[in-house]
Amino acid sequence: MSRGTLKPSQKKSPEEQLEILKTGVVDLVDEKELLKKLKENRSLKIKAGFDPSRPDLHLGHTLVINKLRQFQELGHEVHFVVGDWTACIGDPTGRDKTRPILSRKQVKDQAQTYIQQVTQELHSSVASSSNEKQSSFQTRDSMKEANDEQSYFQEEKLRNLYLHLKRLDGDRIKICYNSEFYSGKTSFRNSGGNRDALWAFIEEVASRITVNQVLERDDFKERRQSGKPLYLHEFLYPAFQAYDSVALEADVELGGTDQLFNLLLARDLQEKSGQPPQCVLTLPLLEGLDGVQKMSKSLNNFIAFNDTPKEIYGKVMKISDELMFRYWKILAGVDLSKAEINPKTEKELLAFGIVSGFYGENMAHKVKGEFQKVFSQKGFPDQMPEKTVKPRKDIWVCHLIVEVGLCASASEARRQIQGGGIKIYRKDNQGIWADGKKLSDHKEKWNLKAGEFFRLSCGRRKFVEIKVQ
């Protein structure tokens, strides 16, 4: 694989580049090695892998993507590895039980959206799949001037947040799928093609990684000690990930702190394969919305790139104040924990900034205004679903709630009523919507008469307007 020279437009010295690249990094193995590589005056091969185990990238991924963008802007060659092979196995990192094995088709379908989500140019095509997604990602190059006292963009922390949320330049990113590394097309060149790929893997990978090395993983140790099963395909996962670096001849690999073992194993495998070892940079893990475990697709505690603006704003507003401080620190490099602030105001600013980063300032203003109207002023959203139902007698209220889409099941509707989460709204004699009345009896049955018109809500987020005709 060729190693190009650094682009002439690159003005930063190796030392200046190193200082930029160190920012926000937890582990750097090894700083002297990285500086030496930077002094070679060439475009380094930067690798980061993403397993499409679910169709969405999430806010936690922006930490690695932001660092990739920094490498890209410094003139280096970014390789975005879609782990379509490793995703089928399932990364065992941090898991106390085996992931289900995914089909190749399922992973392939989910991988299609990854490149769209990670590049600026294609984000609008993803956004067009939803009626709510009217604007694509907007860069902050045209931010308002600092002398505009009404502008959110006076805030340095908000500027930092927008910069963090910038996507990669799609024209300067190299996409590869790690299934190709085992196909005989891009690697194992002397293996004779697919027929001998298994033997090539044994010869080039399995024979160079010891059992003792893999057993050093903390999560594998914990499983063995607790008597939980550890399957051979999970055991091989770090080896497959490590071989990606060999196939690419990577100079640098990025990942979360939970990936440190795998990234260091790749260094070792590269050396045993006669290559210079890659440098390793790890980024902090972003806690999920629960504030306890890392943001994860499998734990469903994440803010997805493809969440609607309303979903993103609402999710941020629900996090704890402590987690809000953490998000500002990790995503914008701003420590608010000791400052005299209004937590509610800072949380609103964070929600506004994240929505703006993905959908633009106009959309963020719209969502912010609607959120305040519904939550602070206890009003109705500007738009809500309209449902038409037929007149009937003795309909169980839980069935009606499911029919109009407020709850997924009668049991959920029952729980919401018991918890005081369902309200009904009707107009008074002056035609003004009266305050909502909580439903209290989940066994109640209603008679729906033609011409009736009312609204139901579930919590403060879900509303529906119902017409009987």
Side-chain angles (χ1 to χ4, degrees):
M1 297 184 182
S2 62
R3 293 175 179 263
T5 57
L6 208 59
K7 291 187 176 182
S9 60
Q10 177 50 252
K11 303 296 184 181
K12 302 290 185 184
S13 69
E15 291 77 11
E16 289 173 324
Q17 292 184 57
L18 181 62
E19 288 305 309
I20 293 171
L21 296 171
K22 285 167 54 178
T23 304
V25 168
V26 178
D27 301 294
L28 173 51
V29 184
D30 159 290
E31 184 172 330
K32 290 182 179 179
E33 286 183 21
L34 180 55
L35 181 59
K36 181 179 178 181
K37 289 177 184 285
L38 293 170
K39 287 182 176 180
E40 293 175 8
N41 193 34
R42 61 179 176 86
S43 296
L44 302 183
K45 290 185 177 179
I46 315 303
K47 170 203 167 190
F50 295 78
D51 284 357
S53 55
R54 292 276 292 272
D56 295 315
L57 291 172
H58 58 67
L59 195 63
H61 290 124
T62 63
L63 290 136
V64 172
I65 293 171
N66 178 55
K67 189 59 63 176
L68 288 175
R69 180 184 54 76
Q70 290 178 357
F71 273 104
Q72 199 175 53
E73 292 176 348
L74 290 169
H76 300 290
E77 187 178 283
V78 168
H79 290 256
F80 187 92
V81 180
V82 179
D84 59 329
W85 177 270
T86 44
C88 293
I89 300 172
D91 186 359
T93 302
R95 306 279 296 191
D96 61 0
K97 60 182 179 180
T98 304
R99 289 179 183 265
I101 294 179
L102 302 179
S103 70
R104 296 296 299 275
K105 182 181 184 305
Q106 184 179 2
V107 170
K108 182 179 179 181
D109 291 344
Q110 293 172 171
Q112 297 302 313
T113 68
Y114 266 39
I115 310 308
Q116 294 175 324
Q117 294 175 64
V118 82
T119 58
Q120 295 177 13
E121 293 81 356
L122 297 180
H123 188 83
S124 58
S125 65
V126 177
S128 64
S129 65
S130 168
N131 291 333
E132 292 191 75
K133 297 177 179 183
Q134 299 296 324
S135 62
S136 62
F137 176 84
Q138 298 178 8
T139 63
R140 299 272 62 88
D141 295 336
S142 58
M143 289 191 293
K144 296 180 179 181
E145 296 295 331
N147 59 6
D148 180 359
E149 294 182 359
Q150 302 302 317
S151 174
Y152 277 98
F153 305 117
Q154 292 177 328
E155 300 285 353
E156 186 65 24
K157 55 181 177 291
L158 198 55
R159 292 175 181 269
N160 292 345
L161 179 60
Y162 286 136
L163 184 63
H164 177 89
L165 294 175
K166 284 181 66 176
R167 303 279 71 79
L168 297 172
D169 183 345
D171 292 332
R172 296 194 294 124
I173 184 174
K174 297 198 174 184
I175 310 299
C176 52
Y177 296 80
N178 65 3
S179 61
E180 298 173 355
F181 302 155
Y182 301 93
S183 68
K185 297 177 183 178
T186 60
S187 190
F188 296 147
R189 293 185 177 85
N190 299 320
S191 68
N194 293 336
R195 181 180 57 184
D196 299 320
L198 179 59
W199 172 250
F201 173 76
I202 293 173
E203 185 177 38
E204 296 186 27
V205 183
S207 65
R208 294 170 179 169
I209 297 175
T210 69
V211 171
N212 290 341
Q213 278 180 290
V214 181
L215 287 179
E216 285 300 309
R217 285 179 55 131
D218 292 336
D219 41 17
F220 285 177
K221 286 181 181 179
E222 291 172 4
R223 279 216 230 168
R224 292 178 63 215
Q225 292 171 357
S226 63
K228 295 179 180 179
L230 175 63
Y231 289 91
L232 184 57
H233 70 286
E234 297 179 280
F235 196 81
L236 291 175
Y237 182 96
F240 284 117
Q241 182 176 333
Y243 184 74
D244 293 350
S245 295
V246 175
L248 287 173
E249 299 180 23
D251 289 302
V252 179
E253 184 171 10
L254 311 182
T257 53
D258 59 341
Q259 293 293 318
L260 182 60
F261 176 90
N262 294 349
L263 307 186
L264 294 177
L265 187 66
R267 277 175 56 90
D268 183 71
L269 185 59
Q270 282 181 306
E271 285 192 283
K272 291 177 179 176
S273 301
Q275 296 180 10
Q278 66 183 16
C279 293
V280 167
L281 277 72
T282 68
L283 286 304
L285 299 178
L286 190 68
E287 289 92 336
L289 302 175
D290 54 14
V292 179
Q293 301 190 71
K294 75 170 185 176
M295 187 170 286
S296 168
K297 294 168 287 186
S298 59
L299 295 175
N300 200 30
N301 64 350
F302 64 100
I303 295 174
F305 284 19
N306 282 337
D307 278 345
T308 66
K310 289 181 182 179
E311 288 172 334
I312 293 173
Y313 200 99
K315 286 180 178 181
V316 175
M317 291 303 296
K318 288 181 68 176
I319 64 176
S320 67
D321 291 348
E322 292 76 16
L323 188 59
M324 179 265 293
F325 291 145
R326 176 74 171 157
Y327 279 11
W328 272 120
K329 179 69 174 179
I330 293 182
L331 300 178
V334 178
D335 188 357
L336 300 177
S337 61
K338 298 180 181 179
E340 293 184 5
I341 60 167
N342 182 324
K344 182 176 180 293
T345 300
E346 294 300 331
K347 195 178 296 184
E348 288 176 343
L349 189 62
L350 179 64
F352 179 91
I354 294 175
V355 174
S356 295
F358 287 113
Y359 290 95
E361 181 188 354
N362 290 339
M363 179 62 75
H365 277 298
K366 178 182 177 181
V367 174
K368 180 176 184 287
E370 185 163 316
F371 185 91
Q372 290 178 336
K373 180 179 179 181
V374 174
F375 284 78
S376 301
Q377 303 169 20
K378 297 184 179 180
F380 295 108
D382 292 334
Q383 296 180 347
M384 69 179 72
E386 296 180 359
K387 299 290 183 180
T388 300
V389 299
K390 295 180 179 180
R392 72 195 85 170
K393 293 182 179 181
D394 294 332
I395 180 173
W396 183 30
V397 64
C398 291
H399 280 167
L400 178 63
I401 290 170
V402 173
E403 181 180 335
V404 298
L406 275 183
C407 292
S409 65
S411 60
E412 180 187 350
R414 183 170 57 248
R415 289 193 300 270
Q416 289 288 349
I417 292 174
Q418 290 173 331
I422 305 292
K423 288 184 178 182
I424 184 170
Y425 305 80
R426 297 184 187 275
K427 288 186 176 180
D428 61 21
N429 295 332
Q430 285 75 42
I432 299 174
W433 288 102
D435 290 341
K437 178 184 177 182
K438 290 183 180 180
L439 302 186
S440 57
D441 184 3
H442 67 85
K443 298 180 180 179
E444 189 174 345
K445 294 185 178 181
W446 292 357
N447 293 328
L448 301 178
K449 298 179 181 180
E452 279 192 274
F453 178 54
F454 58 95
R455 292 173 173 175
L456 291 176
S457 68
C458 180
R460 289 189 175 183
R461 293 190 181 195
K462 300 177 70 173
F463 291 82
V464 65
E465 195 167 82
I466 300 170
K467 295 180 180 179
V468 183
Q469 62 183 34

